[in-house]
Amino acid sequence: MKSRATGRDPTDAEYQALASFRYALRRYLAAVGRNARSAGLTAQQHQALLSIRAGYPGREVISVTELADHLLIKNHSALELAERLRDLGLIQCDRCDEDRRKVMLSITPKGETTLRKLAAGSLRELALISGQMRSLVAGLSQLDP
């Protein structure tokens, strides 16, 4: 099937680059998922903690809507996810002072500790695959768009 971007069929090199890139990403995500499960969390809960802690630089709180946007999920799913993290003591949920309909999320000290441990494992895994990812991205940039 022809690519919309190029108007031609992908080359074998492009298929190989796509397969290698997806494989590297999946290996990283699988390792991070195992790391999260070892801490008693799901991969999505781990990602939510990251988004709350650092998804919006310079801010210490984000709204449920912003969490949903960051995780590419629906608002009601983000609210349920936040409630589970709150029940684990990892985040705090508060009503916004300006708009009581909004729920604002912030990470707790327990959440910080948990996230710090998870981040260490994620960064180690990223360091292991960083050379491969750099090569893959460099190769992808050589492809004819």
Side-chain angles (χ1 to χ4, degrees):
M1 177 191 265
K2 293 186 185 200
S3 163
R4 286 187 211 182
T6 63
R8 61 171 176 72
D9 288 339
T11 65
D12 286 344
E14 289 168 332
Y15 280 127
Q16 290 167 353
L18 289 169
S20 295
F21 189 76
R22 285 186 58 87
Y23 177 67
L25 284 175
R26 290 183 61 78
R27 283 192 56 185
Y28 172 75
L29 292 173
V32 170
R34 284 190 303 275
N35 192 22
R37 282 189 302 281
S38 74
L41 300 176
T42 67
Q44 190 177 49
Q45 288 170 327
H46 175 209
Q47 189 176 356
L49 285 177
L50 277 172
S51 295
I52 294 165
R53 170 65 171 80
Y56 293 86
R59 294 178 41 202
E60 294 190 15
V61 299
I62 69 169
S63 70
V64 169
T65 300
E66 290 170 323
L67 179 63
D69 289 345
H70 224 245
L71 299 181
L72 306 174
I73 60 177
K74 302 281 186 198
N75 254 29
H76 67 275
S77 298
L79 181 58
E80 290 173 13
L81 178 60
E83 288 170 347
R84 287 192 299 273
L85 289 169
R86 180 203 57 211
D87 292 347
L88 292 170
L90 302 174
I91 68 167
Q92 185 171 325
C93 303
D94 295 302
R95 292 280 173 192
C96 178
D97 290 336
E98 294 83 33
D99 183 349
R100 302 296 293 162
R101 295 171 295 175
K102 276 186 173 180
V103 176
M104 304 304 291
L105 312 172
S106 58
I107 197 160
T108 64
K110 180 181 177 183
E112 283 280 356
T113 300
T114 301
L115 188 56
R116 190 175 309 113
K117 291 174 186 172
L118 291 171
S122 295
L123 290 169
R124 274 193 305 274
E125 186 63 30
L126 199 53
L128 291 173
I129 67 162
S130 64
Q132 178 186 13
M133 292 300 283
R134 273 195 294 276
S135 296
L136 288 169
V137 169
L140 289 170
S141 68
Q142 302 296 318
L143 298 176
D144 184 25

